[in-house]
Amino acid sequence: KNYQHYYFLNWRKNESDVLSQMIYRLKADNSKAAWAFYTKFFYKVLKLKIDFTQYDAIIPIPGSKKKSVHAKLFARELSVLCGLPVNDILLKKTEALAQKTLSAEQRRRVTSIQRVEAILIENITKYIFVDDILTTGESFLQSSRALNENPENIILSLFYRPKSEFDLTGYS
């Protein structure tokens, strides 16, 4: 599927250590003021490219850890700016893999998998997914599948650091 992806800032591995430190520091500190600032700045560009009235809701993509709230901070601030509701309906579940089915090497590397589940809401079919940092796109794809993939959905991320070829049309 070819999804539209809009991002505020794109950087590649080893491109800028200072930039990497700033972004990961921003994630570590949970600075609500900083997230609000970057969201407002990004929104000024987005509103020229996206007709927000064509979407039903903003869906934050769940983080890899329970305490990851960055996508939610981004979603809430964007909601205030564009008027769409935030529907926090995705849940990332970690499932332990049966150890007896794994080789010794696999046991050392992988002990669990994560999958996304959703609470479906009637009459809401067109989403704006938001994530703080998009890397492989796997969390977005799982989230989209959980909500009955709609190719008109879009993904917004404040930061984009591609680790693989991901089938997205990107805009900054």
Side-chain angles (χ1 to χ4, degrees):
K1 303 239 187 269
N2 192 12
Y3 293 95
Q4 288 187 340
H5 173 218
Y6 297 85
Y7 51 87
F8 176 65
L9 187 63
N10 177 17
W11 91 107
R12 303 211 182 272
K13 189 174 184 174
N14 299 325
E15 199 172 69
S16 170
D17 290 338
V18 172
L19 187 56
S20 294
Q21 289 172 8
M22 179 203 76
I23 292 168
Y24 288 111
R25 179 67 189 246
L26 180 65
K27 286 182 63 87
D29 289 347
N30 277 339
S31 173
K32 291 180 183 177
W35 285 98
F37 171 80
Y38 287 116
T39 303
K40 286 176 187 170
F41 196 82
F42 189 28
Y43 178 72
K44 287 180 181 182
V45 175
L46 286 174
K47 69 181 180 181
L48 301 174
K49 297 181 178 192
I50 298 171
D51 180 1
F52 285 90
T53 64
Q54 298 301 306
Y55 296 89
D56 298 313
I58 298 169
I59 310 292
I61 293 180
S64 56
K65 299 173 185 158
K66 284 191 177 194
K67 63 180 184 175
S68 296
V69 297
H70 310 101
K72 291 178 185 179
L73 293 172
F74 179 24
R76 285 186 205 126
E77 188 64 34
L78 187 61
S79 173
V80 169
L81 296 167
C82 73
L84 289 174
V86 174
N87 288 345
D88 191 8
I89 57 175
L90 297 173
L91 175 66
K92 192 172 272 192
K93 289 193 168 182
T94 302
E95 299 173 344
L97 296 175
Q99 294 292 310
K100 64 182 177 181
T101 64
L102 302 176
S103 69
E105 178 65 23
Q106 288 172 318
R107 281 189 211 128
R108 279 193 295 278
R109 287 186 176 180
V110 180
T111 57
S112 65
I113 58 170
Q114 292 187 333
R115 67 184 170 84
V116 176
E117 292 183 354
I119 303 163
L120 296 178
I121 299 174
E122 289 185 35
N123 301 321
I124 295 181
T125 59
K126 203 168 170 187
Y127 305 105
I128 296 176
F129 290 93
V130 297
D131 205 353
D132 54 349
I133 298 177
L134 187 91
T135 53
T136 65
E138 186 59 32
S139 292
F140 165 68
L141 290 174
Q142 286 184 24
S143 299
S144 183
R145 279 186 219 115
L147 291 170
N148 302 323
E149 293 179 279
N150 179 346
E152 294 180 4
N153 292 337
I154 60 174
I155 174 78
L156 307 178
S157 63
L158 282 178
F159 307 106
Y160 180 42
R161 186 175 187 175
K163 288 188 176 180
S164 64
E165 292 301 317
F166 184 55
D167 192 15
L168 286 176
T169 303
Y171 303 94
S172 59

